Every structure is written in structure tokens, then in C-alpha cells.
Amino acid sequence: MHELNRPFPWQDRPQGSTEIIWRYSQNPIIQRDLLPTSNSIFNSAVVPFGDGYAGVFRCDDRRRRMLLHAGFSADGLHWNIDHAPIRFQCDIPEIADFEQGYDPRVVWIDDRYYITWCNIYHGPTIGVAWTNDFKTFHQLENALLPYNRNGVLFPRKINGRFALLSRPSDRGHTPFGDIFYSESPDLCYWGKHRHVMSPLPDSWQSTKIGAGPAPIETPHGWLLIYHGVLTSCNGFVYSFGAALLDKDEPWKIKHRAAPYLMSPQTLYELVGDVPSVVFPCAALLDEPTGRLAIYYGCADTVTAVAFAYLDDLIAFAGQNP
Ligand code: BMA
């Protein structure tokens, strides 16, 4: 999976800035109408693939169906997205052919890429599929019962089992939500459900929270970048923050930063189909340099990237309890 010559998407911290996360100056990297049929392209996941990158993109079409499309990039910044949506191969008739899906995450575990997404099976729940080429996608059983969103796999088995974060929800614009942990020997049967985190009162994360990109393994535990929602007099405001979870028992929080890492502040984050949303679904790590590129949806309309150093995020999570 790793190619040494793959260019890492990066831009240095702007001169004079002391921010621990900074936005790419060419944001948004994916405009809403990159596809001739798209209304909006946002909340999408990318991973290293071959000598470049691949991704699964949330593309809402002009009928306003929520569809997933595969895409490819040499540099992680300029993307070609397939015009046809992903058609999952599925030999389980009961769950096949639920066309719509949204908010994908992608991880490499052992020998293949796994995709989790919000699969609309009698209400939202967590779909699971795998691929090796981002052309053919093999759909497995849904991980959990409806209603659930933000299913995010850890990028390796923990204590020999697949591990998943999720956020039980309702059918609609859920006004609550905690993050839970579940594990599975085979990606079919899930159990040992553990509570991880609740929203925090009087804060940017007071209404609900949900896992963002796949957790990143560090010597200090799993770095979890997660979104949090505040209910303002104009509706929901989506920001994101950071926490560190225990390496072997990831339902235990070691540190959780009180301030947000990023809140919607630029025009493309504040204005769009759903105003005031930053929603991260992927993070790339350049291990030799500790550089991170975080991909996030903006205002449910476009896709942007922001940069940070992993060590700074670990320190941020630890120093702002
Ligand atoms: C959530 C999800 C996200 C979306 C967010 C803000 O419930 O549907 O896809 O970005 O709401 O509308």
C-alpha cells in the first residue's frame, strides 16, 4: 500500500500563524459541481492507494439522492471522481440495493480497504464493504441495527478483533448522540458495546458528537478527531475536536480537549446547503514527518483540507482538558 514516492498533500503553516491547524489556501479542493450531475460533494474519505490516493466521495446528485462515488488523485489535492456511483456487489438480498448512502470512511486493515458508511436500510445504519481496487466493492452485513450513524473502523484489529466507533441516532436530525465502541471477530457479529464519550454541556459539542476520521495510532494512544454539534438559535453548528483513547481499551478516554480544533469560520464553511458545518471524514499521516492532512466537508456542499502536525494534536488533546 505504501509507495515512498507518493507526494504528500501539504502546505506549511502560514508565516506568523500560531494555529495548530491551518486551512489549505486553495480550499475548497473539490467544488460542488465537479461532476456534471452533482449538487454537492462533501463528507468524503481518502486513503493512500498505489502511487497516489483513492477515495470514496459523498456526492449528492441533482435529484438530491445521497450517493457514493470512487475517486482517484496523484497528489491528494486534485481529484478525478468517477461519474457513475459505486454499485456495491452484495449477495445478501435483504440488504442489497439500498441505493443511497452517505458520510463514508475508509481504512486499510490487514490486506484490503474497508468502507463504512451511513447505509439507509429502514433508517440509517452502518454499511460495511471492502475493495482492493476502488472499482469493485463487496458489501458485507450491516454492522449494527438502525438507527446509527458515523460508523468508523479502527485501522487495525484490537485484541484480535475488528473495532468500531458509532453513534446511535434517530431517523432524522438527531438532537442527541454519544460515541460507542463495539468489536467483532468477523465483521458480521458485533458486541461488547462500550460507552466512550458523551456531549459536554455548555460547549461546541453540547448536542451530539460522532467519530470523524479513522483513529490514528500514536505512542500515547489513539488520536480521535471527532465532530461535535452545538444547537444555536440558527440551528446546528458542526465543529471538530480531538481526544486520546487508550490503546488497548479504546473506550477509555485518556485526554479530551475542551476547545474545538476547528469551527466553521470561512465563507465556504459558513455558507452552503447546510450553513456552518465542518465535518471531517479522513486524515492522512506522513509518518516520517508527522504531517497530517485532514479532509472535511464544508457546509454540506464542498470538500476542503486542513493541515497539522500529529505531535501538536496530541499535545492539544492533553493540555486542554
Ligand atoms: C449529519 C450528517 C452529515 C451532515 C450533517 C450536517 O447528521 O447527515 O452528513 O454533514 O448532519 O447537515
Side-chain angles (χ1 to χ4, degrees), residues 42-43 58 102-103 149 167 208 238 274 277 279 300:
F42 56 110
N43 303 2
R58 171 172 176 179
Y102 56 95
D103 298 356
R149 293 188 171 99
R167 209 275 304 286
K208 53 181 170 176
Y238 279 71
V274 181
V277 178
F279 196 97
D300 285 12

Side-chain angles (χ1 to χ4, degrees), residues 55-75:
V56 176
F57 294 84
R58 171 172 176 179
C59 304
D60 291 8
D61 72 8
R62 295 184 186 187
R63 277 169 57 185
R64 299 306 301 263
R65 288 177 304 179
M66 302 176 285
L67 301 171
L68 300 180
H69 291 238
F72 301 90
S73 172
D75 63 3

Side-chain angles (χ1 to χ4, degrees), residues 70-111:
F72 301 90
S73 172
D75 63 3
L77 297 170
H78 301 86
W79 286 88
N80 292 312
I81 298 182
D82 291 349
H83 284 208
I86 294 171
R87 287 201 65 100
F88 290 97
Q89 313 280 312
C90 184
D91 55 14
I92 310 160
E94 290 83 353
I95 67 162
D97 298 329
F98 287 84
E99 184 184 36
Q100 295 194 71
Y102 56 95
D103 298 356
R105 287 18 176 230
V106 183
V107 287
W108 171 268
I109 307 174
D110 294 342
D111 60 352

